[in-house]
Amino acid sequence: MAFGILEDKYLHDVPGTALLSDLGVVRGQQVVIDGATNLKRGTGRHSHIVLIPQPSDDPNDPLNWPRWKKEACFWTLAFAATLDGALSPMVGPGYVLLSNQFGVSVDEVASSFGSILLGLSCFMLFQNTLATKFGHRIVYLGSVSLMFIACIWCAVSPTMASIRASRVFQGFGMSALQSLVASTIEQIYFVHERGSRSVIWSFSIMAGITLGPLLYSYVIQNLSWQMGFWFVTIPLGISVVLVFFCVPETTYVRAPSAQPKASGKDSEKGSIEEGTSSSDIIPERKSYVSQLKIWNGTYSKANILKIFLRPFPFLLSPVTWFMFCCHGMQTVWLSLMPICSSTIFTIEYNFDATQIGLTNLGGIVGIVLAMCVTGPLTDYGTVWLAKRNKGVYEPEFRIFFVASMLFGVFGYAGWAVGTTHNMPWIGAVACITMANFSMVVSGAAAVTYLLDTHKENALHILALSNFAKNLVLYGFTFFANGMIMHRGVKVSLLILASCQAACWLSSIPMYFYGKRVRSFVSRCFL
């Protein structure tokens, strides 16, 4: 039993449990762990870390890409994810102003611009299918191009009906950058590198969610709501070019190879599960120009319909529901803030659109703190725990960081209590900071746990979680502002705090029973 994680009764080697370090700490003394001498390790300060998964000898294997190539691919996707995060909530500060301009209710404005969530949700499973069948590159290119075109459409829309339709297509384009990036992280980075990358990805999306309304509030207050969409087409156009030149195909059909496994419950040694490679011939490295091809053929022999239906059996996996609670629903609560901020700050502080946009500075502070503090810590912490578990890594180590959801509970509850004590606006902004900090840290930990436990199937589970999350959030746009006006800010925020606390509680059984859950998933689904 490692740090309270219950051992499985059925499988000797549970998928996900692996020898991560050839150094261990036994009775306070650092020792060298035998049994992994033939496995590839990291370099430099990571030379004691056993690489998981073990890379092939193929120079075209994304795990073997040079560092600059991995970074160019990842940071391009992070930049696109920031724009992706901004598109959905950026109109939020102007909902009250737009309701007066169009002569409709605030909820109708919110649901019209919120139809982006409907498109995002509906296309989530389709992009998952396309990426599995045809690779990631063509899906990324199609996504950013569709966002670019749909933003121009929205900017020239004369009616609410046209706005609603354009936002649906924006949602179609957004779907890949909200779930597929996690799969790309799994394809190009090793286990000990994924935690910090997941934090940066979460940071990028959250930065867009907070910066989008902040910048758009100035535009809508001083220019027009259409100009905001014209401005965002500029970085989106740049994103299309960057994705074309910097994001090659990351899907790689990997032959079975030696992988590090923990050999027993109490053993201080590791064993190697041997596999055979289909060929001893090392392919030549592909040229840069050849990797710019948009069409790279198919990567699965399975029928399209079969691939589309593949995620649904994972509804029986407890990890799917854990992801939905700790990542999906937490995103819902936080995304409601920009949607409802216009109503909340107009009621409480009589703010105009520009002032409402500035409240997002609190969110920026929260996500920057989260990235700086936990970006390096999440990977270092798992290696530290593995060394104290005789070198053996358990994916449940990631769940320690899900406890940061409590910052969100305190943020929502503190804001609710503060409204009855004439709390100044800076107090409300501090509570937003706590909620954003919570989302980045715990959300990244949950995604990394998913990648470590379900590997290539993580894409299906994340698609299911995001599909449900966006449907729930779209439903909220029809009544959230009306509920705040009817029930009051305090009651509404207390409801959010209670929901956040309930979602956090799901992480406790997942930590203790996670290893048995992985065994169940392996025996029943893989």
Side-chain angles (χ1 to χ4, degrees), residues 10-317:
Y10 297 95
L11 295 181
H12 186 262
D13 290 324
V14 180
T17 299
L19 185 66
L20 180 62
S21 174
D22 59 7
L23 296 178
V25 176
V26 179
R27 298 184 182 88
Q29 301 295 317
Q30 184 167 283
V31 298
V32 177
I33 298 172
D34 298 325
T37 55
N38 296 326
L39 295 177
K40 297 177 182 178
R41 292 169 170 76
T43 58
R45 63 189 180 93
H46 298 303
S47 58
H48 65 287
I49 295 177
V50 178
L51 298 180
I52 307 172
Q54 287 283 288
S56 67
D57 295 324
D58 184 355
N60 301 306
D61 183 348
L63 291 172
N64 290 327
W65 284 356
R67 176 60 58 182
W68 68 265
K69 188 174 181 179
K70 290 184 178 183
E71 299 304 324
C73 175
F74 174 76
W75 286 102
T76 295
L77 295 177
F79 173 68
T82 303
L83 302 175
D84 180 289
L87 277 180
S88 177
M90 71 179 191
V91 191
Y95 281 167
V96 172
L97 190 151
L98 286 170
S99 69
N100 295 328
Q101 180 178 332
F102 284 97
V104 295
S105 68
V106 174
D107 276 333
E108 185 171 345
V109 173
S111 63
S112 295
F113 281 93
S115 61
I116 193 172
L117 300 168
L118 182 62
L120 176 59
S121 179
C122 292
F123 202 67
M124 190 65 67
L125 298 178
F126 288 105
Q127 61 84 24
N128 169 54
T129 302
L130 295 174
T132 303
K133 182 70 174 179
F134 303 111
H136 289 40
R137 176 172 167 79
I138 192 170
V139 177
Y140 283 134
L141 278 171
S143 292
V144 292
S145 299
L146 190 56
M147 283 195 292
F148 175 74
I149 295 169
C151 274
I152 296 175
W153 177 4
C154 190
V156 298
S157 294
T159 64
M160 274 291 179
S162 181
I163 290 172
R164 191 183 294 268
S166 67
R167 295 285 279 177
V168 168
F169 278 89
Q170 284 179 24
F172 288 166
M174 288 172 58
S175 58
L177 294 162
Q178 293 215 2
S179 66
L180 203 56
V181 177
S183 178
T184 299
I185 291 173
E186 188 265 337
Q187 291 170 337
I188 67 177
Y189 289 110
F190 300 103
V191 162
H192 70 280
E193 300 172 319
R194 293 173 185 169
S196 58
R197 301 297 165 174
S198 295
V199 169
I200 294 171
W201 175 46
S202 295
F203 166 83
S204 299
I205 294 176
M206 296 306 300
I209 290 175
T210 53
L211 280 173
L214 170 62
L215 299 176
Y216 189 84
S217 63
Y218 282 94
V219 177
I220 195 172
Q221 184 75 32
N222 299 297
L223 297 173
S224 67
W225 69 268
Q226 293 95 333
M227 285 302 301
F229 286 95
W230 283 118
F231 284 140
V232 83
T233 58
I234 298 173
L236 278 175
I238 296 172
S239 180
V240 173
V241 175
L242 288 175
V243 169
F244 180 80
F245 286 105
C246 300
V247 182
E249 182 54 60
T250 58
T251 304
Y252 180 80
V253 181
R254 194 175 303 283
S257 61
Q259 295 295 335
K261 294 286 183 181
S263 63
K265 298 180 181 180
D266 301 314
S267 174
E268 296 180 15
K269 297 184 178 182
S271 66
I272 304 173
E273 187 179 84
E274 296 289 351
T276 58
S277 176
S278 58
S279 174
D280 295 328
I281 301 175
I282 300 176
E284 293 184 3
R285 186 186 300 274
K286 294 180 180 178
S287 68
Y288 172 73
V289 174
S290 68
Q291 295 179 53
L292 295 180
K293 292 189 302 182
I294 297 176
W295 174 257
N296 290 284
T298 59
Y299 291 88
S300 174
K301 296 180 180 179
N303 180 273
I304 284 284
L305 179 61
K306 185 177 180 180
I307 296 175
F308 176 76
L309 296 175
R310 188 179 293 173
F312 294 101
F314 286 100
L315 287 172
L316 300 176
S317 169

Side-chain angles (χ1 to χ4, degrees), residues 235-444:
L236 278 175
I238 296 172
S239 180
V240 173
V241 175
L242 288 175
V243 169
F244 180 80
F245 286 105
C246 300
V247 182
E249 182 54 60
T250 58
T251 304
Y252 180 80
V253 181
R254 194 175 303 283
S257 61
Q259 295 295 335
K261 294 286 183 181
S263 63
K265 298 180 181 180
D266 301 314
S267 174
E268 296 180 15
K269 297 184 178 182
S271 66
I272 304 173
E273 187 179 84
E274 296 289 351
T276 58
S277 176
S278 58
S279 174
D280 295 328
I281 301 175
I282 300 176
E284 293 184 3
R285 186 186 300 274
K286 294 180 180 178
S287 68
Y288 172 73
V289 174
S290 68
Q291 295 179 53
L292 295 180
K293 292 189 302 182
I294 297 176
W295 174 257
N296 290 284
T298 59
Y299 291 88
S300 174
K301 296 180 180 179
N303 180 273
I304 284 284
L305 179 61
K306 185 177 180 180
I307 296 175
F308 176 76
L309 296 175
R310 188 179 293 173
F312 294 101
F314 286 100
L315 287 172
L316 300 176
S317 169
V319 179
T320 302
W321 296 99
F322 167 72
M323 277 296 299
F324 180 64
C325 290
C326 292
H327 181 265
M329 292 308 294
Q330 186 178 192
T331 307
V332 171
W333 318 138
L334 196 60
S335 298
L336 283 174
M337 290 296 100
I339 292 173
C340 300
S341 61
S342 186
T343 301
I344 293 174
F345 284 99
T346 299
I347 292 175
E348 292 292 321
Y349 304 104
N350 198 30
F351 279 7
D352 60 25
T354 302
Q355 292 171 314
I356 293 169
L358 285 170
T359 61
N360 287 279
L361 287 172
I364 296 171
V365 172
I367 61 179
V368 169
L369 284 175
M371 188 183 73
C372 293
V373 173
T374 62
L377 184 62
T378 181
D379 284 328
Y380 172 80
T382 53
V383 174
W384 186 88
L385 289 169
K387 289 171 68 174
R388 278 149 186 79
N389 189 35
K390 304 174 183 178
V392 177
Y393 166 73
E394 302 284 2
E396 285 70 33
F397 293 161
R398 304 281 189 184
I399 300 180
F400 277 115
F401 295 93
V402 177
S404 62
M405 287 183 72
L406 291 174
F407 281 97
V409 175
F410 299 144
Y412 295 129
W415 191 356
V417 173
T419 59
T420 60
H421 293 81
N422 297 316
M423 181 174 66
W425 64 267
I426 191 66
V429 172
C431 292
I432 294 175
T433 300
M434 296 175 69
N436 279 269
F437 180 89
S438 163
M439 177 66 231
V440 173
V441 178
S442 59

